Amino acid sequence: MSQKVYDVAVIGGGVVGCAVLRAFTLAGLKCVLLERGADILSGASKGNSAILHTGFDAPPGSLEHKCVQEGCKEYLEIHERLNLPLVRSSALVVAWTEEQFRSLPDIVEKAHKNGVADVTQIALEDLYGRETNLSAGAKGAVLVPGESYIDPWSAPLAYAHQALANGADIFALSEVQRGEFDAGHWKLMTPGGLFKAGVVINCAGNFGDIVEAINRPSAFRITPRKGQFLVYDKPAADLLQCIILPVPTKRTKGVVVFRTVFGKVVVGPTAEDQEDRELADVTEKMLRDLKAKGESIIPGLASHEIIATYAGLRPATQFDDYQIDADRDRHWITVAGIRSTGLTASLGIAKHVLALYEEKLGRLNPIDEPVWTPVPNLAEHRPRAYQKPDAGELVCLCEMVTRKEMEDALSSLLPPGDMGGLKRRTRCTMGRCQGYYCGHKVAQLAQGRLKEPSQ
Amino acid sequence: MNGPRKDSYDVIVVGGGVSGLSAAAALERLGVESVLVLEREQECGGAPRHIESPNFGLREFHRLMRGPDYAAGMRARVRSAEVVTEFSVTRLLPGGKLEGAGTRGMRALAAKRIILASGTREASRHNRLVSGARPFGVVTYGALQRYLSFAGLKPFRRAVVVGTEWVSLSTLQTMRKHGLRPICMIEEQSRTIAPEMIMRVIERFFNAPVYRGAHLERILGNTKVEGIEIEQGGRLHVIECDGVVFTGKFIPEAHLVRLGQMDFDQGSSGPITDQCHRLSDPAYFACGNVLRPVEASWVCSREGERVARLVQRSLARALPASGGFVPVRLSDPIRFVWPQRLVFPYEQEQSGLCLKVSFRRPVRGMLRFAADGQEIWAKNISAMPEQLVKVFPKRMPSASVADFELRFHEE
């Protein structure tokens, strides 16, 4: 329970909520973030695909396009100060049929229209020169030099940390169940107590329409779109260089094969609409389909070990574009329908929402010298804690996580609320043995220190 | 723990489990002076450290021992070799160089020969592509043992055991000892992997029926396991439980072989070696369960001793050259054979040449081994997947051979 009256309450601690919290805090407003889960990033954001997009394939003129490009630009500006990784791998859109091949010039034209001028169609020799393990039979490809991959969780965690360090509050297990707007202020009821705020920003992801109904009948309906992924072990990483994209269909970007900053190879996502907003389960049939799909693109994957499977739920609506809108009269901003580009777009969305706020709701007073909060590096290609002379004991032997890193995470400004949160902050148990060697140690270390101990 | 005292050794053993300790102790006895054992955990001894059932040590110590006592016995055999725990090897480089991380950061080490003895682990639910969310209470048997023995934690009360290998029976024993209830066992095959005769006794003793020919459809529950759904004979059943233990389906811990660009066998998921246990880079040898899934501790221990003798001879340049090897060809349903290649002359130690063969599915029929089209061994066999069938060719051809082939003729 907090007696404070906040300027802004952000509902939802996903990638978008964290970026919005950071932006409003750095803009000099007193902010609170209310998260229904035991930890932030435990909804749609836990299954994101870690790619930093250029926006080359976004619908021209869309809000999504604007936010992706702004978001990408800001990430490039701030990632070093937050100690966040960036691997400029480039992406290849590969055509496997004549029909797809004929659409490649349109992809290039669209990219140029979107201001991504370095996108070009490349010759087959060039394609196979870049990707020597690519399956035979490609008809052609488009090269997108600016596409990169980043750390999918450290980035939003860094945004949340910076917000905290500059005066914001974050409350977990604080699902906003009801709200009242009265005399220019919102009263938000949560299991953790009552929160008062001048403005509410709905960043509730897969619960976006339910939270929206607190203010007004929702103009959109969320239908979670499940994406399943396969993760291959490190030795597979030599099989590819670029992010391998398919020619997109109207509904989905399709199955991507990409490397991660943790040295793995990922194949996914699927796109399956479902009603359930929480159950992100994998299904054997789809995993087998994904495996076959991945092997049809990079045949060498067949001989490599699948070490993990996971699924994420993307908050899709009946609309193609993001649903972002400010209700001036009732001090409510909606940020919804952020489907698959949220990681890249989050910083751009935050900027856009800030402008909406300034235009319709109030003044900003940016902090002169904000505190910067670099986060621990987990990316393989940059120095890791285990490599240092003071490394000490290693707990997770596959992902090389030190006890010190885990202790630091557990006692950080934003300690994990559940086991998933500890994994996202340190990578413990996320390697090839999936907890065979260190599961018991991790459980011991975390005992009594998580809000939600059983997950 | 301090790191290795020197940067360079005659022999480095990667992995301080049963086969690694056994190799180090044997190297000492053979007079190899400069030996380093690298173990990534805090204590050597490997998996027996957390297997409490008393079925270890009969051949090595001439009595039945609990796993932890056996592990201690194996540790005590290593006297003069340097043993460094909490050191994880991260990369093997050509010619016998390696990189790794200890408690004080990264180190680069070199040796004339490196023995890879990094062991094995069980396939997780992810590796098996099992449907479901990620509820708490899904573990492998190895992880369960560690929860119980090392941390005193119980991840569930009533669990389904997936698999019917020998190790699955050990799982039932362990669960019973810690007051955990095994509800039933699930076997994908139409008969159990461990002998049916024993399984029937076990079913009654633990009051845990075995569902044969049953496919694990999905794990139920979002935050905690609530049950499983199985498909058997076209029908779906739900079985309530709060835990699932995956047993067996061992995978060699051999990623270092692939990262080191050495030849790798997709069938065994281990390194490709010749009968001298030598990898494609002849500075490297391997022994124990990193070679293939999976052998009992006494076999690993004996393999460690054999590798020590081979390494000593290799140091004295008394092994046949590794270059002129002949691969053993095989075809479906054979999953793998170890060793994967043979070098000449095949001179063997007392026991003679022994190949170990594993199948992809349950089989019954004639297994034949031929050299240049000439049959040199044949036997009627019946085998389940995850079992190893031994091939002992009594008379190997005296002249050099251009082709070896293993063939299976189904009944």
Side-chain angles (χ1 to χ4, degrees), chain A residues 46 230 233-236 238 276 278-285 287-288 291 300 302-311 385-394 396-398 400 403 419 423 429-430 432-441 443-444 447 452-455, chain B residues 40-42 47 50 86 88-90 100-106 118-122 124-137 140-143 145-148 150-153 215-218 221-224 250-253 255-256 258-259 261 264 266:
Chain A
K46 82 177 162 194
L230 292 177
D233 198 11
K234 282 173 197 172
D238 287 341
D276 198 303
E278 288 183 274
L279 186 70
D281 59 337
V282 293
T283 55
E284 185 181 345
K285 184 187 174 303
L287 295 176
R288 291 200 186 281
K291 184 172 185 299
S303 75
H304 283 270
E305 197 181 330
I306 292 167
I307 57 164
T309 62
Y310 67 96
Y386 77 85
Q387 296 164 328
K388 294 178 186 154
D390 65 344
E393 182 196 343
L394 274 180
C396 173
L397 301 173
C398 299
M400 307 293 275
R403 182 177 287 272
M419 205 44 111
K423 293 179 185 182
T429 76
M430 293 180 94
R432 65 186 69 88
C433 89
Q434 291 286 307
Y436 179 115
Y437 285 105
C438 71
H440 69 285
K441 274 195 189 182
Q444 238 174 352
Q447 216 175 9
E452 184 79 57
S454 66
Q455 211 179 343
Chain B
R40 60 186 189 168
E41 296 203 59
Q42 281 162 311
H50 47 73
E86 294 191 69
S88 290
V89 175
T90 53
T103 54
R104 299 184 177 184
M106 297 298 287
S118 46
T120 182
R121 72 188 129 83
E122 289 157 303
S124 74
R125 59 149 306 180
H126 298 285
N127 187 269
R128 299 167 187 239
L129 303 183
V130 172
S131 302
R134 288 186 164 226
F136 185 77
T140 58
Y141 177 40
Q145 290 169 349
R146 285 159 175 263
Y147 269 97
L148 297 170
F150 293 167
L153 297 173
H215 181 68
L216 175 53
E217 282 289 310
R218 65 177 60 236
N222 197 5
T223 57
K224 282 183 178 172
F250 286 92
I251 303 173
E253 188 71 35
H255 63 284
L256 289 172
R258 297 197 100 171
L259 289 175
Q261 311 288 336
F264 181 84
Q266 293 171 27

Side-chain angles (χ1 to χ4, degrees), chain A residues 333-356:
Chain A
I333 301 178
T334 307
V335 183
I338 317 299
R339 295 183 315 279
S340 53
T341 42
L343 179 66
T344 307
S346 59
L347 294 168
I349 291 168
K351 212 173 234 177
H352 177 76
V353 174
L354 214 49
L356 269 183

